[in-house]
Amino acid sequence: MRGPAYLSMGVLLAAVSVGTGSAQTQQAPAVTVAIVESRDVTPTSSFTGRIEAKDKVDLRARVEGFLEQQLFTEGQNVKAGDLLYVIEKAPYQAEIENVDAAIARAQATLDLAEIERRRQAELVKKQATAQARLDEAIGKAGEARADLQRQQANLTTAELNLGYTDIKAPIAGRIGRSNFSVGNFVGPQSGTLATIVSQDPMYVTFPVTQRQLLAVRKEAAAGGTDPTSLAVKVRLADGSLYDQVGRLNFVDVQFNQGTDTVQVRATLPNPQALLVNGQLVTVVVETAQPEAALVIPQQAVQIDQAGRYVLKVDAENKVQVQRITIGAEQEGYYVVTNGLNQGERVIIEGLQKVRPGMVVDAAPAPAAAPAG
C-alpha cells in the first residue's frame, strides 16, 4: 500500500512544480526603455588635439657663476619681473671696480694729451716748433680719447653682466621644476634652469584634413559666416566637456605632405588653470547651425559583426532587433541617421535579460537633460 501512496504524492508534487515553473517562465522581464526623440543638434567634428601655452619661456643663465639664491617655489604662479634666481655678484662687482679705475686712468691720460696738444698748437702759431710735434700731440690725444671710450664700453658690458646675475621672470605664468640647486655652477652652456608657461588663455592645436577644411569654408561661405566664429570645445580625459568655449585664431600656411593635414589653432580661456601645456584632449568643433535630428542614449546601441543595432519594443511589447546607422555623438546621445522613427522605444536597461520575440514589461526611463 505504501508504494501507490508515495507514487501519487510524487505525481502531485511534480504537477505543482511544473505549474509553478510554467508560471515563472510566463512572467515578462522588466526593462527600461527610452523614446526616440527629435532634438536640435549642432553638427560637430571631432579631432585629437594638444593644449599649448600661449607663451613659454626657458630661463637660462647669461653669465657664469654659482647660484646663490632660488626665490620661488616650484609650480607657483609668478608675475613678469619677479626675481627668481641670483648668481654670485662679487666677481662682476669687482670687474666694475677695475673698469672704473681704468676709466680714471684713461681720463687722466687724455687730459695730459689735450694739454700737450694745446701747448704744441701755441708753439706752432709762434713758429717756435715744428708742425710735426703738433701732429704727434694730436695723434696721442686721439689715442687717449679712443682708450677712454673703450673703457667706457667695458663699463657698460660689466654693468650688463652684473645685471644678468639677477634672473627675472620675463612673462607671467606658472614656473616648473628647477633643474639646478643653490650652490651649482651655472652658465650659458648649462641649459634650461626652469620653464615658465603662461596660463590664461591657452591654445589647442589639432590637425584638419584638406577635405574637412574645404567643407567648413564652403559651409561658412554659403551661410555668410566667418570660420573664425565657429565654437571650439574640448573634451577632457574623464569624458567631461570643458566649460569654456574657444574660437579659431590660426590656420597654418602649409599642409603636412605626409598626412595631408594642416594644423589649426584655437584660443581657450583658462581661468581655473584646468588646461595644462602638452595635455591631450578631444577637440569638438561646431561646424554648422543647430538642426533637428533623432537621438537615442548611447547605452541603447550595441554592435556585432554586422554593425550597430538596438533592441526596440513594439506596440505589443515584443522585442525586435533593429539595425541602425548613427551620426555624431552628442553628450551621451547618438544621432540616428537611419533605422528608427520618432516615438519608437529602445531598451537601455535589462538588455542582458531579453532576446528577440520575447514579451517584456517596459518602463520609461527618467527624464534626462537635453543633449549638448
Side-chain angles (χ1 to χ4, degrees), residues 280-293:
L280 183 67
V281 295
T282 299
V283 182
V284 181
V285 181
E286 296 181 354
T287 57
Q289 296 298 317
E291 55 188 28

Side-chain angles (χ1 to χ4, degrees), residues 23-352:
Q24 290 176 344
T25 57
Q26 292 176 358
Q27 184 177 0
V31 297
T32 302
V33 295
I35 307 298
V36 180
E37 58 182 329
S38 177
R39 293 183 178 180
D40 285 338
V41 174
T42 303
T44 63
S45 296
S46 296
F47 310 89
T48 299
R50 288 276 181 188
I51 298 297
E52 295 181 359
K54 183 179 179 181
D55 298 306
K56 178 181 176 182
V57 176
D58 291 333
L59 299 176
R60 295 176 180 269
R62 302 183 67 172
V63 294
E64 292 183 341
F66 291 95
L67 274 181
E68 288 188 341
Q69 297 181 66
Q70 176 184 315
L71 302 173
F72 66 90
T73 302
E74 295 173 328
Q76 79 173 68
N77 290 322
V78 298
K79 295 180 294 184
D82 283 354
L83 183 60
L84 304 176
Y85 290 104
V86 176
I87 298 174
E88 61 174 340
K89 297 178 179 293
Y92 300 99
Q93 291 170 336
E95 179 63 21
I96 289 178
E97 294 173 359
N98 287 334
V99 175
D100 283 337
I103 288 175
R105 183 171 59 251
Q107 183 66 57
T109 302
L110 176 60
D111 291 343
L112 288 175
E114 285 293 333
I115 292 172
E116 180 63 20
R117 181 189 64 78
R118 289 193 295 269
R119 179 184 297 113
Q120 293 299 326
E122 289 295 327
L123 292 175
V124 167
K125 286 181 181 180
K126 297 176 181 179
Q127 296 183 351
T129 187
Q131 179 67 36
R133 297 292 298 272
L134 175 59
D135 293 341
E136 183 180 353
I138 292 173
K140 288 184 178 180
E143 290 179 359
R145 186 177 297 106
D147 184 56
L148 176 61
Q149 292 174 345
R150 181 172 61 85
Q151 296 301 337
Q152 289 172 338
N154 289 340
L155 177 61
T156 300
T157 300
E159 289 174 340
L160 283 174
N161 288 337
L162 179 62
Y164 292 152
T165 60
D166 289 337
I167 301 176
K168 300 179 179 180
I171 62 171
R174 190 178 180 191
I175 190 166
R177 183 174 63 88
S178 178
N179 294 320
F180 294 88
S181 301
V182 172
N184 287 146
F185 187 84
V186 296
Q189 306 303 320
S190 300
T192 302
L193 304 181
T195 301
I196 302 175
V197 293
S198 61
Q199 295 296 295
D200 187 20
M202 297 290 271
Y203 289 146
V204 58
T205 60
F206 51 98
V208 176
T209 65
Q210 184 176 177
R211 179 177 297 179
Q212 290 170 321
L213 184 62
L214 291 173
V216 169
R217 286 176 171 171
K218 287 180 180 179
E219 290 180 2
T225 59
D226 184 357
T228 60
S229 66
L230 298 178
V232 178
K233 303 178 181 179
V234 297
R235 193 178 304 281
L236 304 177
D238 61 357
S240 64
L241 201 63
Y242 183 56
D243 62 357
Q244 299 289 335
V245 179
R247 300 294 175 185
L248 298 176
N249 74 338
F250 173 73
V251 178
D252 205 350
V253 296
Q254 58 185 355
F255 276 83
N256 184 317
Q257 296 182 2
T259 60
D260 196 32
T261 60
V262 64
Q263 287 292 320
V264 177
R265 188 180 70 192
T267 304
L268 287 163
N270 191 33
Q272 305 299 322
L274 292 179
L275 302 180
V276 180
N277 183 58
Q279 182 178 358
L280 183 67
V281 295
T282 299
V283 182
V284 181
V285 181
E286 296 181 354
T287 57
Q289 296 298 317
E291 55 188 28
L294 298 179
V295 297
I296 58 174
Q298 290 181 1
Q299 61 264 40
V301 180
Q302 301 185 73
I303 189 169
D304 60 13
Q305 293 181 347
R308 289 182 172 85
Y309 68 93
V310 296
L311 296 180
K312 71 177 184 179
V313 179
D314 62 15
E316 298 178 353
N317 284 339
K318 287 185 179 180
V319 178
Q320 297 181 6
V321 175
Q322 180 63 53
R323 296 287 172 182
I324 63 170
T325 304
I326 66 170
E329 175 185 347
Q330 294 284 334
E331 284 298 292
Y333 289 80
Y334 281 129
V335 174
V336 180
T337 58
N338 187 37
L340 291 173
N341 297 314
Q342 185 174 354
E344 290 186 306
R345 299 180 295 173
V346 294
I347 300 176
I348 58 173
E349 292 182 8
L351 291 164
Q352 70 281 2

